[in-house]
Amino acid sequence: MKSNYLLMLGSLLIVVLSFTSFTNATISSITDCVVQDTKVITAVYDGHEDYGYNFIAKNTNDDEYTITFQNINSEVLEAFDLNSETHVGSKFKVSFTTVIDVFTDGDGFEDENEINTITQLEKL
């Protein structure tokens, strides 16, 4: 229950921060996407799930939240095998980008999907 709460809180925090820092937009032929500048956080690796790589970070109030990265740069994955349990509990400096994919659902309503991609990883 606590991990679900942290995941929801972390996702909400990311969405709020994402909306306050739009910097440039690109439009694909299929959907609209907003690409943001690279962000950097310090976080502890919490493991890999089917939906992505989980890290636990702290906000400015020292509250923990989980951030999930759906994608990872292939060079980073070669340097750090995040698919194994080897690095679980290790602290990292994580550089990442976020793409907000805007699409139309089956009912004709616009919806957004946030995709976080790790671009660099440095073990601390």
Side-chain angles (χ1 to χ4, degrees):
M1 181 70 180
K2 183 178 179 183
S3 62
N4 287 340
Y5 173 75
L6 290 175
L7 182 61
M8 289 184 348
L9 180 62
S11 298
L12 178 62
L13 180 63
I14 291 168
V15 169
V16 169
L17 292 175
S18 297
F19 286 130
T20 60
S21 61
F22 288 122
T23 56
N24 68 20
T26 60
I27 300 175
S28 69
S29 60
I30 299 172
T31 59
D32 295 335
C33 295
V34 176
V35 180
Q36 299 185 349
D37 287 335
T38 299
K39 298 177 211 83
V40 179
I41 62 168
T42 300
V44 175
Y45 183 56
D46 194 39
H48 177 256
E49 302 290 337
D50 291 337
Y51 53 84
Y53 303 90
N54 297 316
F55 285 78
I56 298 174
K58 291 185 178 182
N59 63 17
T60 54
N61 295 330
D62 232 19
D63 295 325
E64 289 184 345
Y65 66 94
T66 300
I67 181 169
T68 300
F69 299 94
Q70 294 78 12
N71 297 319
I72 186 168
N73 183 303
S74 60
E75 291 84 22
V76 173
L77 195 54
E78 287 178 20
F80 300 97
D81 183 12
L82 297 182
N83 292 318
S84 73
E85 298 290 318
T86 306
H87 297 291
V88 171
S90 298
K91 191 173 190 178
F92 288 94
K93 176 179 165 185
V94 184
S95 300
F96 67 99
T97 58
T98 301
V99 174
I100 299 176
D101 182 23
V102 180
F103 62 94
T104 304
D105 66 13
D107 296 324
F109 295 103
E110 281 192 359
D111 203 355
E112 295 180 350
N113 189 20
E114 185 174 274
I115 302 165
N116 295 315
T117 302
I118 297 174
T119 56
Q120 286 185 303
L121 204 56
E122 179 183 331
K123 193 168 187 176
L124 301 177

